[in-house]
Amino acid sequence: MAAPLVLPGCAGGQSALDPAGREAAEVYDLFVVMVIGGGVIWLAVIGLLVHACRRRRRTWSEEGAGRLIAWGGVAFPVVALFALLAYAVWLMPSIRPWLDRSVPEPAMIDVTGEQFWWRIRYPAEDGMAAFETANELRLPVGERVAFSLRAADVIHSFWIPSLGGKMDMIPGRTNVLSLLPTKTGVYQAPCAEFCGASHAYMAFSVIVMDTKAYDDWRRRQAAGNRPGGSEGERLFAHHGCAGCHSVRGVTPVAGLGPDLTRFSDRRTVGAGALANTPENVARFIRNPSAIKPGATMPAFDMLSQGDIAAIAEFLTGRP
Amino acid sequence: MRLLPKEVESLWTLFTGPTIWAVHFLVCYVAVAIYCEKARTGPFTFAEMRLALVLVTLLALAGIVLSAWLAWRQWGFGSGDPPHDAPTREDRLLFQGFATLLLSGLSFVAVLFVAVPLVLIEACQP
Ligand SMILES: [Cu+2]
């Protein structure tokens, strides 16, 4: 009865109960089967309990009780557990298509977990150049994508609940995960392995788009920013931001921090910590650790308000 | 006076089933682990190794069935009812037979459970 009231809480962009991908749908099916199976067994056990507590009781013969125990307590659990185990194990290859090595590693989207953000490298594809971006993943709907997952410092975990199960990112190792998004939309992906003070602020957005929009986005990303000669652009290089951050087309390549090319396309600042607005970008630049404890970007509170505002304007404005 | 009885009554047969289960578990686990580590250099395929482990599984099940049958015999084929708790040699024997029979049943199921992933999972994770 409470279900219609409670279930809407399970919808949304970060819920395994609202699947938007093939693998997530399999996990969801497994969940439903287990919940219903568990529910039926629970009801049966409670039913027996009520039966045992009933008022006017006619006692069971010893033989009858023995039979009930043998069937209900031994045969049934053995068969039920066997079936559930077999079902779960049988489902495993489709929930985790890690065996699908049809995509060679260079053609995978490479995601590296770093304290406390996500480095994302898209491979060259269909005449579109390879490029690096960060903290936001865009995927074409209805196409299988494979990820090679790494970690730069400590263990992180890659998890897009709406699209599939999680996969750890382990320093020194490359794990592979493959997903098939089936619904366009915006989803959230939290880091799923405690990785330090700002673990809770380490997330990325996933935007599943139709193929045409996706290709346009890729082309724009690969092309990079157009130099506009604005004050913010100059200050970005002048104050040393460009030593850690690339803005392709405008600054030389730098790899210490997240790539900031076409940053205005991004939904969030600080790997999901804040919404992407000029005010929030300015706040982040002034003191990243005030927003994300332990963030490795230094504070720039010695810069004037005006300079920070100009840089924020440059980052969030037309690329 | 003697410290040890003339005939040592042994509890060891009790553990036949669980021991077979443990050995079977180890063999399967270790074989797959080593195979997957050396997958590219091994002289046989995953399917062949799986077939070998299926044979090991059948052997283990046969061993457990044998131990169960011996236990059943020791228990007098169910002629008396448990709990067999009188302090007599007779009851000790019956008790041990009955307990071994139950443990054999448990081990049989456990070996099957161990074998399920073997049948359904088809390759090593790269
Ligand atoms: Cu993390």
Side-chain angles (χ1 to χ4, degrees), chain A residues 84-151:
Chain A
L84 287 179
L85 177 69
Y87 173 59
V89 174
W90 171 76
L91 212 56
M92 208 123 101
S94 56
I95 288 180
R96 323 239 67 188
W98 59 47
L99 304 172
D100 175 21
R101 279 287 183 144
S102 51
V103 184
E105 208 173 301
M108 296 179 183
I109 299 178
D110 190 291
V111 184
T112 305
E114 315 206 0
Q115 282 172 322
F116 299 97
W117 59 283
W118 311 83
R119 186 190 297 277
I120 301 173
R121 290 196 196 89
Y122 279 80
E125 191 190 352
D126 299 342
M128 291 176 279
F131 61 88
E132 181 171 321
T133 177
N135 300 332
E136 188 169 290
L137 194 61
R138 298 204 181 210
L139 303 172
V141 70
E143 272 179 47
R144 184 161 283 292
V145 278
F147 301 95
S148 49
L149 305 173
R150 299 168 219 276

Side-chain angles (χ1 to χ4, degrees), chain A residues 81-82 85-86 89 98-99 101, chain B residues 112-113 116-117 120-121 124 126:
Chain A
L81 285 178
F82 196 83
L85 177 69
V89 174
W98 59 47
L99 304 172
R101 279 287 183 144
Chain B
L112 282 183
F113 277 27
V116 167
L120 289 172
I121 287 182
C124 307

Side-chain angles (χ1 to χ4, degrees), chain A residues 116 118 155-157 191 193 195 199 202:
Chain A
F116 299 97
W118 311 83
I155 300 184
H156 304 272
S157 188
C191 178
E193 186 73 64
C195 59
H199 164 66
M202 177 168 172

